[in-house]
């Protein structure tokens, strides 16, 4: 079987239509299935697949030798799908068409694959390119270890180690999001279910459209193509800057922006720290001691974060996604408060790197048996808990002696109680329903007995002391 990159070279150097058609037919199922998981619409998935191969046709000459084309196509499909969804949402907003959000939590009756489905591609996005390429080749395309090694330039044993490491990362990511299963089940389900056959005529249509011959590309596809090319160029520039221009500037502050490193004198606090739209800020990474004019505030949009006058544990919580109540410190922590802003690609990873750079601290996850509280359900129909209304879109209020959760689950309730009682709380209610929850207690008495009495009377819930194995974040000095 002709190597993918040989076909790419034949297309670039000889303008071989047959070579391009072979590439499309070989990978169209991978691209279409990946797009379908992202956009959840077969017609839009076809449009995305067409756009991906148009991008390939335009960028083929720049692909370096040794590129794992299936991994490149997978990553490109993610970019194109994201842009297609943005464009579709804008179009729907202009036309004022109602659309439903994806269901956030699967019902108990759903099988493991149904729970994995909305998380799989995001979990894949957390992997390094080399690890992701290996997983795509091995389990999405069901290649043998020898074939994976040949494509990636690795010995078979090395390829197997890389795949094992990548699958463990996927398992850990899924486990943190409620899909607890084994690596073997994950790989078996991905191999069996991740690829669906694209519509019969799609490969031919793509081949013709990508070469710009015979058929006109619809305007919406052209918009997606141009947007995706810009996104890919932007992401590539950001990665290069984060690797090559991660410069420490004044007061242990790092500010990295696309196409430039912004000196402190040019950072405008009124736009950076008071902007209501994080998604409109340039790509920035700032970690600094709290400035005198800073006020306690926080904002988040997806993977973009901003917090001011926050304790160091809040920086760790944002970087690692673990509650401060589940942290163990093997060394002294920095004192005082901090301002931090992350609007770069993969903001959590960027913050983790900056914590290592500035404070010489790193976190590692470890399961330990610790004292904790189990949240259980004693009765239904309590006055402080009622079914949620509208689409799941969780928000909440926490103040002394009171919290309110709007459109949340009992797991959200357990996390809030964890902050109130300052120890780990595990949801053992087994409920995945959505509620509007209100709880009030004596603000001058935060004891377990007082909170438990309020839980019993107002929510029909109870906290039971226990010792359980819990995944903790061990924070220690870098070696």
């Amino acid at each position: 079987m002709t190597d993918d990159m040989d076909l790419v070279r034949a297309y670039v150097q000889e303008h071989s239509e047959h070579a391009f058609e072979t590439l499309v037919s070989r990978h169209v199922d991978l691209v279409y299935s990946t797009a379908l998981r992202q956009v959840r619409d077969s017609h839009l998935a076809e449009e995305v697949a067409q756009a991906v191969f148009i991008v390939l046709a335009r960028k083929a000459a720049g692909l370096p030798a040794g590129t794992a084309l299936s991994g490149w196509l997978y990553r490109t499909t993610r970019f194109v799908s994201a842009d297609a969804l943005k464009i579709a949402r804008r179009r729907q907003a202009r036309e004022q068409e109602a659309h439903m959000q994806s269901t956030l939590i699967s019902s108990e009756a759903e099988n493991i694959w149904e729970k994995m489905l909305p998380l799989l591609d995001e979990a894949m996005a957390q992997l390094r390119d080399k690890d992701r390429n290996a997983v795509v080749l091995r389990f999405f395309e069901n290649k043998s270890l020898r074939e994976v090694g040949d494509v990636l330039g690795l010995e078979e044993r090395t390829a197997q180690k890389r795949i094992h490491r990548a699958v463990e990362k996927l398992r850990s990511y899924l486990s943190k999001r409620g899909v607890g299963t084994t690596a073997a089940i994950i790989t078996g389900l991905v191999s069996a279910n991740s690829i669906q056959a694209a519509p019969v005529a799609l490969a031919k249509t793509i081949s013709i459209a990508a070469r710009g011959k015979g058929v006109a590309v619809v305007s919406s596809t052209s918009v997606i193509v141009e947007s995706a090319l810009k996104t890919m160029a932007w992401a590539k520039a950001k990665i290069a800057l984060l690797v090559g221009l991660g410069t420490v500037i004044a007061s242990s502050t790092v500010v990295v922006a696309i196409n430039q490193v912004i000196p402190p004198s040019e950072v405008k606090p009124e736009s950076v720290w008071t902007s209501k739209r994080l998604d409109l800020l340039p790509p920035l990474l700032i970690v600094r001691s709290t400035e005198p004019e800073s006020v306690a505030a926080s904002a988040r949009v997806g993977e973009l974060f901003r917090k001011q006058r926050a304790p160091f544990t809040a920086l760790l919580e944002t970087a690692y996604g673990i509650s401060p109540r589940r942290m163990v410190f093997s060394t002294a922590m920095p004192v005082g408060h901090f301002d931090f802003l992350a609007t770069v690609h993969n903001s959590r990873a960027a913050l983790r790197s900056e914590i290592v750079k500035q404070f010489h601290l790193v976190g590692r996850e470890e399961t330990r048996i610790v004292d904790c509280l189990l949240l259980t359900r004693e009765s239904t129909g309590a006055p402080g808990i009622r079914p949620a209304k509208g689409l799941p879109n969780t928000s909440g209020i926490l103040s002394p002696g009171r919290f309110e959760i709007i459109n949340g689950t009992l797991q959200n309730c357990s996390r809030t109680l964890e902050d109130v009682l300052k120890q780990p709380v595990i949801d053992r209610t087994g409920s995945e329903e959505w509620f509007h929850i209100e709880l009030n207690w004596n603000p001058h008495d935060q004891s377990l007995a007082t909170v438990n009495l309020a839980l019993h009377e107002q929510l029909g819930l109870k906290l039971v002391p226990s010792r359980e194995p819990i995944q903790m974040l061990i924070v220690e000095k870098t070696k």
Side-chain angles (χ1 to χ4, degrees):
M1 182 172 63
T2 307
D3 180 76
D4 284 342
M5 293 309 295
D6 289 338
L7 292 171
V8 170
R9 284 190 291 272
Y11 171 69
V12 172
Q13 297 170 6
E14 304 167 13
H15 306 290
S16 171
E17 297 182 2
H18 174 70
F20 195 88
E21 289 176 357
T22 302
L23 287 170
V24 172
S25 62
R26 184 178 293 179
H27 298 291
V28 66
D29 289 346
L30 167 67
V31 172
Y32 173 79
S33 299
T34 302
L36 187 59
R37 286 195 299 274
Q38 304 300 303
V39 301
R40 305 293 182 87
D41 179 276
S42 59
H43 297 296
L44 185 55
E46 289 186 39
E47 195 170 345
V48 168
Q50 186 168 305
V52 168
F53 284 99
I54 292 174
V55 170
L56 173 62
R58 294 191 185 183
K59 297 179 74 69
L63 294 180
T67 297
L69 189 63
S70 53
W72 185 92
L73 287 169
Y74 176 88
R75 187 166 182 265
T76 300
T77 304
R78 291 264 298 160
F79 280 120
V80 175
S81 297
D83 282 299
L85 285 172
K86 290 177 186 176
I87 293 165
R89 290 190 188 108
R90 293 192 197 108
R91 183 170 61 245
Q92 290 168 350
R94 285 193 299 267
E95 297 169 352
Q96 296 182 342
E97 294 179 354
H99 61 87
M100 298 291 290
Q101 290 182 328
S102 299
T103 302
L104 299 181
I105 296 180
S106 302
S107 67
E108 290 183 351
E110 288 180 313
N111 59 33
I112 295 176
W113 172 248
E114 289 172 330
K115 292 181 180 179
M116 282 175 56
L117 191 59
L119 300 172
L120 176 60
D121 293 303
E122 184 60 33
M124 289 284 290
Q126 309 306 310
L127 301 178
R128 296 185 303 173
D129 286 348
K130 292 180 179 179
D131 291 347
R132 184 170 54 250
N133 291 341
V135 172
V136 171
L137 290 165
R138 181 74 172 113
F139 302 114
F140 285 68
E141 297 197 328
N142 290 313
K143 292 186 181 296
S144 67
L145 288 172
R146 176 176 292 182
E147 290 173 322
V148 174
D150 289 343
V151 173
L152 300 180
L154 302 172
E155 293 183 358
E156 188 172 328
R157 180 177 295 180
T158 304
Q160 185 175 24
K161 289 181 179 178
R162 176 167 291 173
I163 291 167
H164 175 75
R165 180 179 64 227
V167 171
E168 278 301 309
K169 291 178 180 177
L170 291 177
R171 186 197 62 75
S172 176
Y173 181 93
L174 293 170
S175 177
K176 291 176 186 176
R177 284 149 184 82
V179 186
T181 187
T182 65
I185 291 176
I186 291 172
T187 55
L189 289 171
V190 171
S191 295
N193 298 295
S194 63
I195 301 298
Q196 301 177 43
V200 176
L202 182 58
K204 188 67 176 179
T205 301
I206 287 172
S207 297
I208 296 172
R211 298 196 311 270
K213 296 182 179 181
V215 299
V217 179
V218 296
S219 60
S220 58
T221 302
S222 298
V223 172
I224 294 173
V225 170
E226 296 305 322
S227 179
L229 287 169
K230 291 178 182 177
T231 301
M232 293 171 70
W234 186 44
K236 184 177 180 181
K238 284 198 293 184
I239 291 171
L241 282 164
L242 286 171
V243 172
L245 299 178
T247 306
V248 178
I249 55 176
S251 303
S252 299
T253 300
V254 174
V255 185
V256 182
I258 191 72
N259 298 327
Q260 61 182 322
V261 176
I262 302 178
S265 60
E266 295 181 19
V267 176
K268 298 180 179 180
E270 67 273 16
S271 61
V272 171
W273 298 106
T274 64
S275 172
K276 295 182 180 179
R277 291 285 304 275
L278 291 183
D279 53 325
L280 296 183
L281 291 176
L284 299 169
L285 175 59
I286 305 175
V287 178
R288 69 183 188 187
S289 295
T290 289
E291 297 287 299
E293 66 272 15
S294 293
V295 295
S298 65
R300 175 181 176 182
V301 177
E303 287 296 305
L304 312 182
F305 301 94
R306 178 176 62 205
K307 286 195 178 184
Q308 295 169 262
R309 200 169 285 279
F312 189 74
T313 52
L315 175 57
L316 291 172
E317 181 179 16
T318 303
Y320 288 94
I322 293 181
S323 163
R325 317 308 168 195
R326 303 187 183 207
M327 296 178 185
V328 176
F329 303 103
S330 62
T331 185
M333 290 295 101
V335 296
H337 291 81
F338 298 86
D339 300 334
F340 57 92
L341 170 69
T343 56
V344 295
H345 174 70
N346 204 350
S347 291
R348 289 187 187 275
L351 286 173
R352 291 196 293 269
S353 297
E354 192 55 30
I355 290 169
V356 171
K357 185 185 300 181
Q358 285 199 39
F359 306 103
H360 307 291
L361 294 171
V362 67
R364 59 178 176 83
E365 294 181 23
E366 179 181 304
T367 300
R368 292 190 176 184
I369 298 177
V370 299
D371 292 329
C372 62
L373 298 169
L374 305 181
L375 182 65
T376 61
R377 195 166 190 178
E378 293 189 304
S379 62
T380 58
I385 183 169
R386 54 188 186 275
K389 295 181 180 179
L391 297 174
N393 186 15
T394 303
S395 62
I397 301 169
L398 175 60
S399 58
R402 179 179 185 274
F403 71 74
E404 181 176 3
I405 299 173
I406 303 167
N407 282 356
T409 64
L410 292 183
Q411 188 172 43
N412 296 127
C413 183
S414 70
R415 291 171 182 164
T416 305
L417 289 167
E418 189 163 302
D419 290 333
V420 170
L421 296 168
K422 296 181 171 44
Q423 64 175 306
V425 176
I426 302 174
D427 176 22
R428 287 290 172 82
T429 64
S431 170
E432 294 186 356
E433 299 173 83
W434 292 82
F435 300 103
H436 187 133
I437 303 169
E438 294 182 67
L439 184 69
N440 296 275
W441 67 96
N442 183 352
H444 304 295
D445 185 356
Q446 300 263 105
S447 67
L448 175 59
T450 297
V451 175
N452 238 345
L453 180 61
L455 283 170
H456 172 73
E457 294 177 346
Q458 300 171 43
L459 304 183
L461 303 175
K462 182 180 180 180
L463 288 168
V464 180
S466 181
R467 283 182 62 82
E468 302 284 333
I470 295 178
Q471 198 165 44
M472 307 289 286
L473 182 70
I474 313 302
V475 184
E476 54 197 4
K477 282 286 186 182
T478 54
K479 297 180 181 179

